[in-house]
Amino acid sequence: GQVRLRGHAGRLNAQDIANLLNALSKWPDDGRGRKEALELARRVATDARLRGSMNAQEVANALNALAKWPDEADAREAALRLAGRLTLNAGLRESMNAQAVANALNALSKWPDEADAGGAALQLAGRLTSDAGLRGLMNAQAVANALNALSKWPDEADAREAALRLAGRLASEAGLRESMNAQEVASVLNALSKWPDEDGAREAALRLAGRVASGAGLRESMEAQHVAMALGALAKWPDEDDARNGALRLAGRVASEARLRGLMNAQEVANALNALSKWPDEANAREAALRLAGRLASEAGVRLRESLNAQAVANALNALAKWPDEADAREAALRLAGRLASDAWLRESMNAQAMANALNALAKWPGEDDAREAALRLAGRLASDAWLRESMNAQQVANALNALAKWPDEGGARDAALRLAGRVASEAGLRESMNAPAVASSLNALSRWPQESGLREAAWRLA
């Protein structure tokens, strides 16, 4: 039934408010319910005494409810005030049971860039790390929610440590893994992939990958979003048999199900392509990628292409370049190149890695007008943006030089190469960071302009 406040939020106590918020959050898209929830949120945000009287369960319930409207200022403000209380009150955190900790973490992760949310989440992470009993009481959903939340702060030691403790449970408890549904498996894989070099995360992920590879029912239960998420995660360990097998089984679904491909949004298509490109010689991966490329290249795919941000365009191009001789891959890449050539804002949004990846990809089709035009527009930005050049690492500099050398007669390509060569000539550390293939490809690229003294100098230093 519909909850009616009619301006009576001021008379409700802490338990009433937590219960009402919890009830209203069951229908987050209902306009009237949202309005009433936000009235309650304003009371939580402005009434310190009310917040102070909430017990651990009520705080967790209120946070969990408010997180259903993460973009609403009133909900965010109320949640951050509660987060502030959690950060300062060790007793409150200690009173939370396993489900409450998981719910609170899940809620706080909706505002990962807010200091109060991060502070409270990391304090709860500390409790998870130190309390094996608490971790042991978490069911599959709670473990999935907690891991997903902790992965929003991957560079924080407390979040990483708590996640690795939970990963230890996942790796060692088959029953826990088996009780996870498709969404939870995808979410957990995605979370663990934020720490790909940690043995504990890898081990847990590979055990779950084994479930994906062997569980046809599990794979069939995954929606488009989950398939893209799981593929993106498994691609962090491309040389591991379990990860590859799980990914290739999922690729089989992508290749054979037009409806599944049609339900993927732009970001999911880019993520899936990027993942599949880690196994370019596998028939399943290639077939799935080419079907996705067909969707990107089609006339109907214009909205999809327009929806991709700079990073996604670079990732998609980088992936498609793994199959340069395939018509669908080429056509999709050239459509994306057309967008890059015509959209200055998109080019300006590219960071060093995206710039290097996009140039490297476009260079696979040097004779195509769209690829050349896009590459020269990118070269123009590279030539004029010192900060962008300075932020490139050794591999990115080598990739960019190698790409620019595909158009040696174009002034724009030469100018950008000259500016990058200036870094190569003047920075011993950059040269020392290049591995043997990067040195070889850079020397080969620089030799395309033998008459340019700046390029000769860089080549001599590199050699």
PDB file of all heavy atoms in Angstrom, residues 102-127:
ATOM      1  N   ALA A 102      27.009  -5.642   5.123  1.00  0.00           N
ATOM      2  CA  ALA A 102      26.950  -5.769   3.663  1.00  0.00           C
ATOM      3  C   ALA A 102      26.023  -4.718   3.065  1.00  0.00           C
ATOM      4  O   ALA A 102      26.350  -4.086   2.047  1.00  0.00           O
ATOM      5  CB  ALA A 102      26.483  -7.174   3.285  1.00  0.00           C
ATOM      6  N   ASN A 103      24.854  -4.508   3.692  1.00  0.00           N
ATOM      7  CA  ASN A 103      23.901  -3.515   3.180  1.00  0.00           C
ATOM      8  C   ASN A 103      24.475  -2.107   3.250  1.00  0.00           C
ATOM      9  O   ASN A 103      24.309  -1.305   2.320  1.00  0.00           O
ATOM     10  CB  ASN A 103      22.591  -3.569   3.972  1.00  0.00           C
ATOM     11  CG  ASN A 103      21.726  -4.750   3.590  1.00  0.00           C
ATOM     12  OD1 ASN A 103      22.018  -5.459   2.631  1.00  0.00           O
ATOM     13  ND2 ASN A 103      20.662  -4.972   4.338  1.00  0.00           N
ATOM     14  N   ALA A 104      25.127  -1.795   4.366  1.00  0.00           N
ATOM     15  CA  ALA A 104      25.686  -0.450   4.536  1.00  0.00           C
ATOM     16  C   ALA A 104      26.800  -0.203   3.510  1.00  0.00           C
ATOM     17  O   ALA A 104      26.863   0.863   2.888  1.00  0.00           O
ATOM     18  CB  ALA A 104      26.210  -0.274   5.959  1.00  0.00           C
ATOM     19  N   LEU A 105      27.673  -1.195   3.336  1.00  0.00           N
ATOM     20  CA  LEU A 105      28.741  -1.052   2.335  1.00  0.00           C
ATOM     21  C   LEU A 105      28.156  -0.844   0.940  1.00  0.00           C
ATOM     22  O   LEU A 105      28.582   0.030   0.185  1.00  0.00           O
ATOM     23  CB  LEU A 105      29.634  -2.298   2.330  1.00  0.00           C
ATOM     24  CG  LEU A 105      30.709  -2.376   3.403  1.00  0.00           C
ATOM     25  CD1 LEU A 105      31.345  -3.764   3.417  1.00  0.00           C
ATOM     26  CD2 LEU A 105      31.782  -1.310   3.184  1.00  0.00           C
ATOM     27  N   ASN A 106      27.169  -1.670   0.603  1.00  0.00           N
ATOM     28  CA  ASN A 106      26.533  -1.586  -0.707  1.00  0.00           C
ATOM     29  C   ASN A 106      25.936  -0.198  -0.927  1.00  0.00           C
ATOM     30  O   ASN A 106      26.049   0.381  -2.015  1.00  0.00           O
ATOM     31  CB  ASN A 106      25.442  -2.656  -0.799  1.00  0.00           C
ATOM     32  CG  ASN A 106      24.876  -2.783  -2.202  1.00  0.00           C
ATOM     33  OD1 ASN A 106      25.606  -2.863  -3.172  1.00  0.00           O
ATOM     34  ND2 ASN A 106      23.558  -2.770  -2.300  1.00  0.00           N
ATOM     35  N   ALA A 107      25.326   0.352   0.109  1.00  0.00           N
ATOM     36  CA  ALA A 107      24.726   1.684   0.002  1.00  0.00           C
ATOM     37  C   ALA A 107      25.800   2.757  -0.150  1.00  0.00           C
ATOM     38  O   ALA A 107      25.723   3.608  -1.048  1.00  0.00           O
ATOM     39  CB  ALA A 107      23.870   1.961   1.237  1.00  0.00           C
ATOM     40  N   LEU A 108      26.798   2.731   0.692  1.00  0.00           N
ATOM     41  CA  LEU A 108      27.846   3.756   0.670  1.00  0.00           C
ATOM     42  C   LEU A 108      28.577   3.780  -0.673  1.00  0.00           C
ATOM     43  O   LEU A 108      29.058   4.831  -1.116  1.00  0.00           O
ATOM     44  CB  LEU A 108      28.843   3.511   1.810  1.00  0.00           C
ATOM     45  CG  LEU A 108      28.258   3.694   3.218  1.00  0.00           C
ATOM     46  CD1 LEU A 108      29.175   3.056   4.263  1.00  0.00           C
ATOM     47  CD2 LEU A 108      28.037   5.171   3.539  1.00  0.00           C
ATOM     48  N   SER A 109      28.653   2.624  -1.340  1.00  0.00           N
ATOM     49  CA  SER A 109      29.376   2.552  -2.611  1.00  0.00           C
ATOM     50  C   SER A 109      28.664   3.293  -3.737  1.00  0.00           C
ATOM     51  O   SER A 109      29.218   3.460  -4.822  1.00  0.00           O
ATOM     52  CB  SER A 109      29.586   1.084  -3.018  1.00  0.00           C
ATOM     53  OG  SER A 109      28.375   0.497  -3.462  1.00  0.00           O
ATOM     54  N   LYS A 110      27.442   3.749  -3.480  1.00  0.00           N
ATOM     55  CA  LYS A 110      26.742   4.547  -4.498  1.00  0.00           C
ATOM     56  C   LYS A 110      27.318   5.970  -4.585  1.00  0.00           C
ATOM     57  O   LYS A 110      27.024   6.698  -5.529  1.00  0.00           O
ATOM     58  CB  LYS A 110      25.246   4.616  -4.165  1.00  0.00           C
ATOM     59  CG  LYS A 110      24.534   3.273  -4.181  1.00  0.00           C
ATOM     60  CD  LYS A 110      24.526   2.660  -5.565  1.00  0.00           C
ATOM     61  CE  LYS A 110      23.552   1.495  -5.674  1.00  0.00           C
ATOM     62  NZ  LYS A 110      23.969   0.292  -4.951  1.00  0.00           N
ATOM     63  N   TRP A 111      28.107   6.342  -3.576  1.00  0.00           N
ATOM     64  CA  TRP A 111      28.730   7.679  -3.577  1.00  0.00           C
ATOM     65  C   TRP A 111      30.237   7.523  -3.320  1.00  0.00           C
ATOM     66  O   TRP A 111      30.765   8.040  -2.340  1.00  0.00           O
ATOM     67  CB  TRP A 111      28.101   8.558  -2.492  1.00  0.00           C
ATOM     68  CG  TRP A 111      26.617   8.736  -2.652  1.00  0.00           C
ATOM     69  CD1 TRP A 111      25.984   9.590  -3.496  1.00  0.00           C
ATOM     70  CD2 TRP A 111      25.575   8.041  -1.928  1.00  0.00           C
ATOM     71  NE1 TRP A 111      24.611   9.476  -3.352  1.00  0.00           N
ATOM     72  CE2 TRP A 111      24.340   8.532  -2.401  1.00  0.00           C
ATOM     73  CE3 TRP A 111      25.573   7.056  -0.939  1.00  0.00           C
ATOM     74  CZ2 TRP A 111      23.114   8.080  -1.920  1.00  0.00           C
ATOM     75  CZ3 TRP A 111      24.356   6.587  -0.465  1.00  0.00           C
ATOM     76  CH2 TRP A 111      23.142   7.096  -0.941  1.00  0.00           C
ATOM     77  N   PRO A 112      30.954   6.812  -4.200  1.00  0.00           N
ATOM     78  CA  PRO A 112      32.356   6.466  -3.906  1.00  0.00           C
ATOM     79  C   PRO A 112      33.291   7.669  -3.831  1.00  0.00           C
ATOM     80  O   PRO A 112      34.359   7.578  -3.222  1.00  0.00           O
ATOM     81  CB  PRO A 112      32.738   5.535  -5.059  1.00  0.00           C
ATOM     82  CG  PRO A 112      31.803   5.898  -6.168  1.00  0.00           C
ATOM     83  CD  PRO A 112      30.522   6.289  -5.507  1.00  0.00           C
ATOM     84  N   ASP A 113      32.903   8.783  -4.455  1.00  0.00           N
ATOM     85  CA  ASP A 113      33.785   9.955  -4.471  1.00  0.00           C
ATOM     86  C   ASP A 113      33.537  10.897  -3.300  1.00  0.00           C
ATOM     87  O   ASP A 113      34.224  11.921  -3.168  1.00  0.00           O
ATOM     88  CB  ASP A 113      33.607  10.731  -5.787  1.00  0.00           C
ATOM     89  CG  ASP A 113      33.984   9.864  -6.989  1.00  0.00           C
ATOM     90  OD1 ASP A 113      34.921   9.056  -6.860  1.00  0.00           O
ATOM     91  OD2 ASP A 113      33.323   9.994  -8.036  1.00  0.00           O
ATOM     92  N   GLU A 114      32.570  10.579  -2.464  1.00  0.00           N
ATOM     93  CA  GLU A 114      32.269  11.417  -1.296  1.00  0.00           C
ATOM     94  C   GLU A 114      33.119  10.954  -0.115  1.00  0.00           C
ATOM     95  O   GLU A 114      33.102   9.777   0.251  1.00  0.00           O
ATOM     96  CB  GLU A 114      30.774  11.323  -0.937  1.00  0.00           C
ATOM     97  CG  GLU A 114      29.843  11.870  -2.006  1.00  0.00           C
ATOM     98  CD  GLU A 114      29.798  13.394  -2.010  1.00  0.00           C
ATOM     99  OE1 GLU A 114      30.369  14.014  -1.084  1.00  0.00           O
ATOM    100  OE2 GLU A 114      29.174  13.956  -2.924  1.00  0.00           O
ATOM    101  N   ALA A 115      33.831  11.894   0.495  1.00  0.00           N
ATOM    102  CA  ALA A 115      34.753  11.540   1.589  1.00  0.00           C
ATOM    103  C   ALA A 115      34.053  10.828   2.742  1.00  0.00           C
ATOM    104  O   ALA A 115      34.576   9.856   3.299  1.00  0.00           O
ATOM    105  CB  ALA A 115      35.457  12.799   2.089  1.00  0.00           C
ATOM    106  N   ASP A 116      32.856  11.303   3.117  1.00  0.00           N
ATOM    107  CA  ASP A 116      32.150  10.673   4.243  1.00  0.00           C
ATOM    108  C   ASP A 116      31.760   9.234   3.925  1.00  0.00           C
ATOM    109  O   ASP A 116      31.847   8.354   4.798  1.00  0.00           O
ATOM    110  CB  ASP A 116      30.900  11.486   4.609  1.00  0.00           C
ATOM    111  CG  ASP A 116      31.241  12.763   5.367  1.00  0.00           C
ATOM    112  OD1 ASP A 116      32.287  12.782   6.052  1.00  0.00           O
ATOM    113  OD2 ASP A 116      30.483  13.736   5.273  1.00  0.00           O
ATOM    114  N   ALA A 117      31.302   9.001   2.705  1.00  0.00           N
ATOM    115  CA  ALA A 117      30.922   7.636   2.319  1.00  0.00           C
ATOM    116  C   ALA A 117      32.162   6.735   2.310  1.00  0.00           C
ATOM    117  O   ALA A 117      32.138   5.616   2.843  1.00  0.00           O
ATOM    118  CB  ALA A 117      30.258   7.643   0.943  1.00  0.00           C
ATOM    119  N   GLY A 118      33.249   7.228   1.721  1.00  0.00           N
ATOM    120  CA  GLY A 118      34.486   6.439   1.686  1.00  0.00           C
ATOM    121  C   GLY A 118      35.027   6.164   3.071  1.00  0.00           C
ATOM    122  O   GLY A 118      35.443   5.042   3.374  1.00  0.00           O
ATOM    123  N   GLY A 119      34.997   7.179   3.927  1.00  0.00           N
ATOM    124  CA  GLY A 119      35.506   7.003   5.289  1.00  0.00           C
ATOM    125  C   GLY A 119      34.749   5.932   6.050  1.00  0.00           C
ATOM    126  O   GLY A 119      35.350   5.059   6.697  1.00  0.00           O
ATOM    127  N   ALA A 120      33.419   5.974   5.972  1.00  0.00           N
ATOM    128  CA  ALA A 120      32.601   4.978   6.678  1.00  0.00           C
ATOM    129  C   ALA A 120      32.817   3.587   6.089  1.00  0.00           C
ATOM    130  O   ALA A 120      32.935   2.591   6.822  1.00  0.00           O
ATOM    131  CB  ALA A 120      31.125   5.368   6.593  1.00  0.00           C
ATOM    132  N   ALA A 121      32.877   3.512   4.758  1.00  0.00           N
ATOM    133  CA  ALA A 121      33.056   2.213   4.107  1.00  0.00           C
ATOM    134  C   ALA A 121      34.384   1.577   4.512  1.00  0.00           C
ATOM    135  O   ALA A 121      34.455   0.367   4.773  1.00  0.00           O
ATOM    136  CB  ALA A 121      32.982   2.377   2.592  1.00  0.00           C
ATOM    137  N   LEU A 122      35.427   2.379   4.593  1.00  0.00           N
ATOM    138  CA  LEU A 122      36.742   1.827   4.934  1.00  0.00           C
ATOM    139  C   LEU A 122      36.813   1.405   6.395  1.00  0.00           C
ATOM    140  O   LEU A 122      37.510   0.440   6.739  1.00  0.00           O
ATOM    141  CB  LEU A 122      37.843   2.836   4.589  1.00  0.00           C
ATOM    142  CG  LEU A 122      37.965   3.127   3.084  1.00  0.00           C
ATOM    143  CD1 LEU A 122      39.019   4.200   2.820  1.00  0.00           C
ATOM    144  CD2 LEU A 122      38.300   1.850   2.297  1.00  0.00           C
ATOM    145  N   GLN A 123      36.071   2.102   7.258  1.00  0.00           N
ATOM    146  CA  GLN A 123      35.997   1.659   8.661  1.00  0.00           C
ATOM    147  C   GLN A 123      35.280   0.315   8.751  1.00  0.00           C
ATOM    148  O   GLN A 123      35.688  -0.581   9.498  1.00  0.00           O
ATOM    149  CB  GLN A 123      35.253   2.705   9.496  1.00  0.00           C
ATOM    150  CG  GLN A 123      35.976   4.034   9.614  1.00  0.00           C
ATOM    151  CD  GLN A 123      37.012   4.041  10.733  1.00  0.00           C
ATOM    152  OE1 GLN A 123      37.332   3.005  11.290  1.00  0.00           O
ATOM    153  NE2 GLN A 123      37.548   5.205  11.036  1.00  0.00           N
ATOM    154  N   LEU A 124      34.193   0.164   7.979  1.00  0.00           N
ATOM    155  CA  LEU A 124      33.486  -1.124   7.966  1.00  0.00           C
ATOM    156  C   LEU A 124      34.375  -2.207   7.351  1.00  0.00           C
ATOM    157  O   LEU A 124      34.358  -3.362   7.799  1.00  0.00           O
ATOM    158  CB  LEU A 124      32.183  -1.004   7.167  1.00  0.00           C
ATOM    159  CG  LEU A 124      31.061  -0.212   7.825  1.00  0.00           C
ATOM    160  CD1 LEU A 124      29.892  -0.042   6.855  1.00  0.00           C
ATOM    161  CD2 LEU A 124      30.576  -0.912   9.102  1.00  0.00           C
ATOM    162  N   ALA A 125      35.161  -1.827   6.338  1.00  0.00           N
ATOM    163  CA  ALA A 125      36.087  -2.787   5.733  1.00  0.00           C
ATOM    164  C   ALA A 125      37.091  -3.287   6.769  1.00  0.00           C
ATOM    165  O   ALA A 125      37.425  -4.483   6.806  1.00  0.00           O
ATOM    166  CB  ALA A 125      36.820  -2.137   4.562  1.00  0.00           C
ATOM    167  N   GLY A 126      37.563  -2.370   7.616  1.00  0.00           N
ATOM    168  CA  GLY A 126      38.485  -2.761   8.679  1.00  0.00           C
ATOM    169  C   GLY A 126      37.866  -3.798   9.605  1.00  0.00           C
ATOM    170  O   GLY A 126      38.525  -4.753  10.035  1.00  0.00           O
ATOM    171  N   ARG A 127      36.575  -3.627   9.896  1.00  0.00           N
ATOM    172  CA  ARG A 127      35.903  -4.604  10.750  1.00  0.00           C
ATOM    173  C   ARG A 127      35.800  -5.955  10.055  1.00  0.00           C
ATOM    174  O   ARG A 127      36.003  -7.026  10.662  1.00  0.00           O
ATOM    175  CB  ARG A 127      34.496  -4.084  11.110  1.00  0.00           C
ATOM    176  CG  ARG A 127      33.936  -4.882  12.246  1.00  0.00           C
ATOM    177  CD  ARG A 127      32.653  -4.476  12.852  1.00  0.00           C
ATOM    178  NE  ARG A 127      32.156  -5.688  13.481  1.00  0.00           N
ATOM    179  CZ  ARG A 127      30.927  -6.131  13.452  1.00  0.00           C
ATOM    180  NH1 ARG A 127      30.001  -5.407  12.869  1.00  0.00           N
ATOM    181  NH2 ARG A 127      30.601  -7.257  14.014  1.00  0.00           N
TER     182      ARG A 127
END
